[in-house]
Amino acid sequence: MTYGKAPKPPLSPPAVLARKGGEPIVCLTAYTTPIAQLVDAHCDLVLVGDSVGMVLHGLPNTLGVDLDMMVMHGKAVRRGLKSALMVVDLPFGTYEESPQQAFRNAATLMRETGCDAVKLEGGVHMAETIAFLTRRAIPVMAHIGLTPQSVNTFGGYKVQGRGADAHAVLRDAQDVAEAGAFAVVIEKVPDILARRITSDVDIPTIGIGASAACDGQILVVDDMLGMFADFKPKFVKRYAHLAGDAERAIAAYAEDVRSRRFPAAEHVFGDLPASVPDAG
């Protein structure tokens, strides 16, 4: 399903890597087949993010997401994609213990979902794991800056890399690039730092609350469509307000049912008079 646009050839991690410094890379999350079909024709990369726990399952953060949940949503998204590169998040607790643990669970995600790559959070301390995975044919997208799985350590969803902390985030970017990541998500850092990272590393940077200078951008699809309305991060631009539209439609339906305006004659089925049972 391309919704008016011609299908693109499938994108690969090396093709994304080759986009460094070129045309901006368009990325969105997706968690279901219908949304995957909608974004496929327009996006270069689709992330099955562990944000699914918050936007679809009502969890307070991403820490409650498990591997089974990511496999289930990954399978659904795979069925809706033809062209975009599909990346699936490794959830909290499935890769931090050791490179071997990360490999087992990344291999499960790739085998069960058919994804093209996995994403994991962390910089310097995850470089060894990234190198271990990439040497074993598992492409890795890294994620630095604000890493939501570390929300308790950070004390909330705070901007990272301000002032003297900028050096640590820059080092994270350099280390994940050297370890073999094909791209790196930079979340919620100052614009000037995101620009510096983008100019310093040889892999594409994908910004979310970072800078227009990044090699690409990503948003949670429910945020940009206005479907998830619990809160709106500063870095989100709403391109639609579907939650409000849906609520108005549901309210209209409820009123029609209560007033017996629905179903109307055009919504019900007739039958041959002789086939109607006698009320007596």
Side-chain angles (χ1 to χ4, degrees), residues 179-216:
F182 71 90
V184 57
V185 172
I186 307 174
E187 182 168 355
K188 210 166 183 181
V189 305
D191 177 270
I192 191 171
L193 175 58
R195 290 175 181 271
R196 170 71 186 279
I197 292 171
T198 300
S199 67
D200 278 11
V201 300
D202 294 329
I203 63 175
T205 57
I206 308 299
I208 177 168
S211 172
C214 289
D215 297 296

Side-chain angles (χ1 to χ4, degrees), residues 225-227 229 239-253:
L225 290 177
M227 295 192 295
Y239 288 82
H241 299 276
L242 300 189
D245 292 343
E247 184 175 7
R248 284 187 290 274
I250 292 167
Y253 163 75

